[in-house]
Amino acid sequence: MTQPEVLRSLLNAIAQGEVSPEVALDKLKHLAFEPVDDFARIDHHRALRTGFPEVIWGPGKTPDQIAQIMEVMRDRASVVMATRIEPDVYAQLKQKVPDVEYFAIARICALGGQESGVRNQEPGAESLEDAGMRGRRDEETASIQNSKFKIQNSSPIPGLISILSAGTADLPVAERSRCDG
């Protein structure tokens, strides 16, 4: 059976009382992936299954491939993120996806979900001011002060989170967390 036929069958079983909503939810967690050309398969249900969103692993993909994946994901995800993106790849990606944002310290590109107020960074801009830590010279203090962001997905526990780092070596990981939806 094709994916739509499987889904239709499951919905009919729920409507007829043959399958409980809980069992149906468990079955929905394992639907097939969405292909993107012949080079990628997007797991739209990763967050449902694991609690973590699908993220694009940048290394080994061309800017065109990353752009295609982002375009497929953007309609179904609150945040689309590509990791390990070098400045030259971002420059090419920006031509294909004009609204993509770049975070140089974290080496990520992202679409949507930016409530932190941090401005876009151009490739190579890694000063504290360009990292969104304007007015702070003490890197540890700045890292702690700027790591409080609103949870941006439909989390069952709304609120604030804090990302703490021990110093500048941790900035790439702390910065990356700002785009996790």
Side-chain angles (χ1 to χ4, degrees):
M1 276 202 303
T2 66
Q3 185 172 332
E5 291 169 338
V6 170
L7 186 54
R8 182 174 288 114
S9 175
L10 178 60
L11 292 173
N12 284 333
I14 296 167
Q16 295 173 7
E18 299 168 2
V19 174
S20 73
E22 292 77 22
V23 170
L25 179 62
D26 189 57
K27 290 181 183 283
L28 287 172
K29 289 180 181 180
H30 303 287
L31 285 178
F33 295 49
E34 181 178 359
V36 178
D37 207 357
D38 62 350
F39 58 84
R41 292 170 26 131
I42 299 173
D43 183 0
H44 291 295
H45 288 107
R46 180 182 302 247
L48 179 64
R49 268 193 339 278
T50 68
F52 298 100
E54 177 78 300
V55 175
I56 303 163
W57 177 254
K61 292 180 182 69
T62 67
D64 188 55
Q65 290 172 330
I66 295 168
Q68 286 182 59
I69 295 168
M70 286 184 140
E71 292 297 341
V72 170
M73 291 178 68
R74 80 181 317 149
D75 292 333
R76 296 181 60 185
S78 60
V79 175
V80 177
M81 181 170 62
T83 63
R84 306 284 173 101
I85 303 298
E86 296 299 326
D88 61 319
V89 173
Y90 164 70
Q92 295 173 56
L93 188 57
K94 182 77 172 169
Q95 293 175 359
K96 300 171 186 311
V97 185
D99 57 333
V100 70
E101 296 183 60
Y102 189 63
F103 299 87
I105 293 172
R107 293 188 302 143
I108 59 171
C109 287
L111 294 173
Q114 301 304 315
E115 292 181 13
S116 65
V118 176
R119 64 184 171 157
N120 293 347
Q121 297 179 35
E122 293 304 317
E126 296 188 3
S127 70
L128 290 178
E129 288 78 15
D130 289 335
M133 296 180 235
R134 299 182 245 330
R136 301 284 183 192
R137 294 292 177 210
D138 178 36
E139 293 174 5
E140 286 75 17
T141 300
S143 179
I144 290 169
Q145 298 252 334
N146 285 286
S147 61
K148 296 177 182 177
F149 299 98
K150 293 175 76 173
I151 296 173
Q152 297 178 16
N153 63 6
S154 57
S155 172
I157 306 171
L160 298 174
I161 60 168
S162 292
I163 308 296
L164 302 177
S165 70
T168 57
D170 295 333
L171 284 177
V173 175
E175 186 80 4
R176 195 172 301 127
S177 69
R178 115 178 33 219
C179 289
D180 291 344

